[in-house]
Amino acid sequence: MGRLSTLDDWLHYQENLHSHEIDLGLERIQAVYQTLFPNGVSFQVITVAGTNGKGSTIAFIDSIYQQSNYRVAKFTSPHILQYRERFSIDGVQTSDAKICSAFEEIEQARGDISLTYFEFSTLAALIIFTHEKVDIAVLEIGLGGRLDSVNVVDSDVGVITNIDIDHVDYLGATRELIGFEKAGIMRPNIPCVCGDANPPNTIAQYAEKIGALLTFVDTPYLGAISLQGEHQKTNAAVAIAAVNQLQSVFSISQKQLAKGIENAQLLARFQIKTVGDKTLVFDVAHNPAAVQVLADTLKINEQPTLAIFSALQDKNITTMINTIAPLIDEWLLVPLKVNRAITIQDLSKKFDLSDKISVCDDMLSATHQAFNRKHIQRIVIFGSFYIVADALKIL
C-alpha cells in the first residue's frame, strides 16, 4: 500500500481491504485486539445492543456522565454527515488526525490479518479512548451482538434496548433468534439491563445459562426529557438503570441524572427544523418497528404530510410503507447511491396504486418539489441513514 495521508485515503483503503462489507465473527479482531490491548482496555465499558433505540440510549448515558467530572467517550455507528461523528469525548468529536493515527497503530498491529471497515473503526475507538485517558466508554454494537466486533471487549454493564425483526440475513427471522444474538453481549456475573417490553425468552435463558445479572426495565422515565417521542421515556429509563449499575465506581447524583436526560441531543431522531412555512422532520427509522414509532409520534399532531423516502433493499420495505401510509399524503422517492440500495423502479412497485408517488432524480430535486407543494405543512424524511444524510447536507 502507498502512503495514506488523509482520512478519506484510509477509509477508501479499508473499504477495499476485506472481501465482504459485513463479515460477522470475532476471530480476526480478537487477534489484533490482544496485540493492541494485552491486558484489556483501561476504562469502564457500557456496551449497548438492540434493534432500535441504541443511539438515543447512548445519547442519554453520555449526557448524564457529561454532567459529572468523569471523562466519558462514546462510539456509535453509522455516521450521518462525517465519519468522526463515530468517536466523541465529553461531547466533542475526535479530530481526523487522531483517527488516522489510530489507523496507523492498527495497520502496524494487524500483520496479514484482514479487517473490515467496521473492525477498523471499533479498534480505532478503543485506541483513541485509551490515549485520551477516558474514565468510561459507551460502545454501540453495530449489528447483532454475539459476533459483532464491539463484543471483543468485556463490558462492565450490558444494555439491550429492544428486539425486533431486522438484518434477517445475518441474525435470523424471529425475535427469539435475534434475541439470542443480542444476548451474546452479556458476561458472567456482570449486570445487563434490558428495556424490551416483551423480551424474547432467549434473553433470560442466555443470562441464566452464563450467570449474567439481568434486570428488565418496564417503567418509563417521568421527568423532563429532550428527545421527541413517547418511546424516549423508556430509553431514558434504560440509560438511568445502566448508569445506576456503576454507581459504586462512578457516583452520579439524582440532579446530574435529571439534567443529563434533559440535555441529551441526537441528530436525526425525530429532529425538527422549520423552514419558511414548512416543518421538516428528519428520522433515520429504517425498519418496521422504528417506522411504527415514527408514525405514532407523527400521529400526535396530524397535518398534511409529504414523505421523502428511500431504503436499502434488504429491509422489509412493504411493511415500512404500510405502517405509515395512512399519515402520508404524498411520497417523493429518491435513489440512494450505495451498493445495498433498492432501485427506484423496484421501490415504486412497493406502493399501492392509491398512493400518490413521484420519482425524483436526487435529493435536491425532491426538496424543491416538496417546498413547492403549497398545501403540505410537514415534510418527513426517513427510511435510511443515507437518505437523511443526503437531506441534512442540503437543508
Side-chain angles (χ1 to χ4, degrees), residues 367-383:
T367 54
H368 281 314
Q369 291 187 48
F371 280 105
N372 285 332
R373 303 292 201 268
K374 301 299 182 198
H375 65 291
I376 291 293
Q377 296 173 7
R378 181 168 61 189
I379 301 166
V380 182
I381 301 146
F382 78 103

Side-chain angles (χ1 to χ4, degrees), residues 304-347:
T305 299
L306 175 148
I308 298 179
F309 177 75
S310 199
L312 301 181
Q313 62 185 351
D314 57 355
K315 301 296 179 181
N316 188 340
I317 298 172
T318 301
T319 304
M320 289 166 65
I321 293 166
N322 293 342
T323 298
I324 203 169
L327 297 164
I328 305 298
D329 298 287
E330 187 174 351
W331 298 79
L332 299 180
L333 309 183
V334 182
L336 294 177
K337 297 181 179 69
V338 291
N339 292 337
R340 291 162 56 210
I342 189 169
T343 66
I344 281 293
Q345 293 81 3
D346 288 342
L347 181 58

